[in-house]
Amino acid sequence: SHLYGEINDVAREWTDGIISCAIRGCTNQLKEQSKSALASKDSFSSLYMAALWLVADGPVGDWAGGLNTALDETRTLSLMNSERVSLPPPGVFSMLFEVQNLRAASPATVSRCGMVFFDDQSVGWYPVVQSALAALPDVLAERRALLEQLYSDLFKGVLESTVGMAALKNG
């Protein structure tokens, strides 16, 4: 109920949970960005007006089954109050789940997700940064070196202060 929402039995009112609130917030933010980009003549803002990710970290548990309709081709979150929240299209809104294992995940959930396994002892964080920078459009080609320097200076410092030196071994 804390994740998706709940109905108050006494007042018969619906209260959004964490996931439904986050998805609504992202959807509303994308609508506002779309309006601003359409009104703007700036090609940069219209090119990058929408790239939102919902990132979840933690064990796969009861939350996974509730997202099955959001993860399938309908991209619709079905809530317990019979409401259906449509997600923006892929490439505009994406979800990322970082989990330790899939023991509690149903085959239905696993089949709806793309799986990537990273061995944190051998990969490190820098190849992920390099891949992201290589995927930048040509419009930003001249800024790649600056972005790489920012990642190196800022992200490495964050890792050092939060995760510890072990995470930097291969970065």
Side-chain angles (χ1 to χ4, degrees), residues 3-4 19 59-72 76-80 97 104-110 112-113:
L3 293 176
Y4 295 103
I19 291 176
V60 176
D62 295 334
W63 61 266
L67 282 177
N68 282 343
T69 57
L71 298 173
D72 68 15
T76 303
L77 178 65
S78 298
L79 300 173
M80 291 173 46
F97 307 102
S106 71
T109 301
V110 172
R112 287 171 167 86
C113 297

Side-chain angles (χ1 to χ4, degrees), residues 10 13 24 54 66 72 76 106 112 124 126 134 136 156 163:
V10 176
E13 293 178 353
R24 280 186 211 278
L54 175 63
D72 68 15
T76 303
S106 71
R112 287 171 167 86
Y126 193 67
L136 288 174
K156 192 171 184 177
V163 180

Side-chain angles (χ1 to χ4, degrees), residues 122-136:
S122 61
V123 174
W125 63 272
Y126 193 67
V128 177
V129 171
Q130 287 178 313
S131 176
L133 292 174
L136 288 174

